[in-house]
Amino acid sequence: MTLLPPTAEQQKRINEEVPTDPEMRKRDVAAIREWLSKQPHLPNHMDDTRLERFLFGCKNSIERCKLILERYFSVRTAIPEFFAVRDPLVREIQECCEAIHYFVLPSLTDEGHRVSVLRLKNTAIEKFSIQAISRRILMVLDTRLMEERCLSNIMVIDLEGFSVVHFTKCSPTQSIVRKSMLAVQDSMPLRLQRVHFLHAPAFIESILNIFYPLLKDRLVQKFRIHTGGGEELHSYMDKDILPNEWGGKAGTLDELNDSWKRKIEKNRDWFLREEKLSKANESARLPESKSRLLVELDGMQGSFRQLNID
């Protein structure tokens, strides 16, 4: 699945939010590279293009970029549940691709945002694994970092077919769920613009009330709750960029899901190589560079308020 580049109008809007200065960006990347060289616990193997994508995702903030890189590498050592054996051909990932639709739409919104979709393909509860879903999401996010700079993201979560048991598996009282939030939301240079929930059940408020005390107000304000399906998105974005079943022209849900399955499979060698390279060496960490992420994981104090969701 090809991620289509911004149109001229979309690029103009992106440049207005994150101004581009090639010479300054080159100096900033060099500064980040120099900082990495002085962190004995962190690898320094990323090429300049990939570092530039991290910097862009951090709105050109060098300090923010350093923080995200620190967490990006540290989380891969600290939470092996999501980063060990990153092989898209293993049964866990293959079964997840068969049971869960998860993909990124090829076209950007008019504002330049990238849209991802998550929904059940198979409603059987035994097919719903937070660990497998999180591992797959992180593989897709890494694939995107190899291919594009992204202004911001819109997440569409279709709750059709979700039962109370599915929601229980997503509860923040589950350690694996909180670890997933740390890994996905707080160690990637990808900002969140909006979260749309489709086919929200009547008891959705009871479910969200469990989460609200643990979430930043800024994140809660990004939620949009819809009782209907994909047609609810038409007032928020050009419907043509949506899946066919939702009135768009991007392809069917199955086609989009399968194309991203093939995409991560095509990058198998990269994932297996990166599994060994992109991780922190905690034994080499200097005392003064204590990781906030490790502190958060140590005992999991249980507050999503520590997450930096921009």
Side-chain angles (χ1 to χ4, degrees):
M1 172 60 64
T2 300
L3 293 174
L4 299 177
T7 63
E9 185 61 31
Q10 290 168 344
Q11 189 62 58
K12 180 181 177 182
R13 295 188 181 187
I14 292 171
N15 291 343
E16 289 172 353
E17 184 162 344
V18 185
T20 178
D21 181 335
E23 288 303 314
M24 181 177 291
R25 182 156 291 162
K26 186 176 179 180
R27 292 194 297 269
D28 289 347
V29 168
I32 293 168
R33 173 85 61 202
E34 181 181 4
W35 171 79
L36 280 170
S37 70
K38 296 177 181 178
Q39 311 301 313
H41 63 294
L42 299 182
N44 193 6
H45 68 292
M46 285 188 181
D47 60 28
D48 287 354
T49 300
R50 197 165 162 211
L51 287 178
E52 182 184 326
R53 291 185 181 123
F54 270 79
L55 183 63
F56 181 88
C58 296
K59 288 188 173 181
N60 295 335
S61 167
I62 293 178
E63 293 308 309
R64 172 70 175 165
C65 188
K66 290 177 182 178
L67 172 64
I68 294 298
L69 282 167
E70 163 70 40
R71 297 181 74 100
Y72 178 88
F73 293 126
S74 296
V75 77
R76 282 155 170 71
T77 301
I79 313 180
E81 296 98 313
F82 304 138
F83 298 101
V85 194
R86 296 188 85 193
D87 185 346
L89 297 182
V90 298
R91 187 176 68 177
E92 178 189 40
I93 299 299
Q94 290 288 309
E95 290 182 349
C96 181
C97 291
E98 292 300 319
I100 308 292
H101 279 144
Y102 177 67
F103 52 82
V104 186
L105 294 176
S107 296
L108 296 163
T109 67
D110 290 341
E111 296 77 17
H113 305 308
R114 189 64 76 183
V115 182
S116 299
V117 175
L118 176 70
R119 65 188 303 276
L120 298 181
K121 183 179 179 183
N122 185 331
T123 60
I125 192 63
E126 65 271 14
K127 300 293 184 180
F128 187 75
S129 165
I130 293 295
Q131 180 169 324
I133 294 170
S134 300
R135 187 186 297 242
R136 181 177 163 205
I137 288 174
L138 287 159
M139 293 171 79
V140 168
L141 293 179
D142 265 327
T143 298
R144 289 178 55 195
L145 283 175
M146 287 191 285
E147 297 189 7
E148 69 165 353
R149 297 183 305 178
C150 177
L151 177 62
S152 195
N153 294 270
I154 295 173
M155 187 70 201
V156 178
I157 302 176
D158 188 352
L159 300 175
E160 185 174 26
F162 270 68
S163 67
V164 173
V165 181
H166 285 100
F167 283 111
T168 300
K169 279 197 165 188
C170 299
S171 170
T173 60
Q174 304 286 336
S175 174
I176 193 72
V177 174
R178 288 193 263 173
K179 287 181 178 180
S180 175
M181 289 292 289
L182 283 174
V184 173
Q185 291 286 5
D186 208 24
S187 65
M188 285 283 185
L190 299 168
R191 300 190 304 278
L192 187 62
Q193 171 72 18
R194 188 80 67 215
V195 181
H196 291 279
F197 295 95
L198 305 180
H199 291 112
F203 55 84
I204 188 64
E205 283 301 324
S206 298
I207 298 296
L208 291 177
N209 282 338
I210 300 173
F211 284 85
Y212 284 152
L214 304 174
L215 300 173
K216 281 185 176 182
D217 291 339
R218 276 190 301 160
L219 176 58
V220 174
Q221 291 168 8
K222 297 176 189 290
F223 288 178
R224 296 294 181 271
I225 312 298
H226 310 283
T227 56
E231 69 281 355
E232 301 269 13
L233 301 173
H234 295 180
S235 59
Y236 293 89
M237 62 190 75
D238 180 358
K239 70 176 184 178
D240 285 352
I241 75 170
L242 296 171
N244 296 1
E245 292 91 336
W246 294 353
K249 300 177 180 179
T252 68
L253 294 166
D254 281 341
E255 288 169 347
L256 292 162
N257 185 68
D258 291 346
S259 68
W260 273 92
K261 174 178 177 289
R262 293 192 299 272
K263 194 176 186 74
I264 62 173
E265 290 172 354
K266 183 179 178 180
N267 291 320
R268 179 175 184 261
D269 290 344
W270 184 89
F271 284 118
L272 295 179
R273 182 173 64 253
E274 281 288 306
E275 182 184 331
K276 299 180 177 66
L277 296 176
S278 285
K279 60 173 61 176
N281 179 2
E282 294 301 333
S283 64
R285 183 185 292 274
L286 298 174
E288 60 268 25
S289 66
K290 188 173 182 180
S291 169
R292 270 177 46 197
L293 181 137
L294 296 180
V295 172
E296 292 166 27
L297 282 173
D298 185 17
M300 293 298 295
Q301 294 300 316
S303 177
F304 286 168
R305 294 185 183 277
Q306 295 168 314
L307 297 180
N308 295 307
I309 298 173
D310 189 17

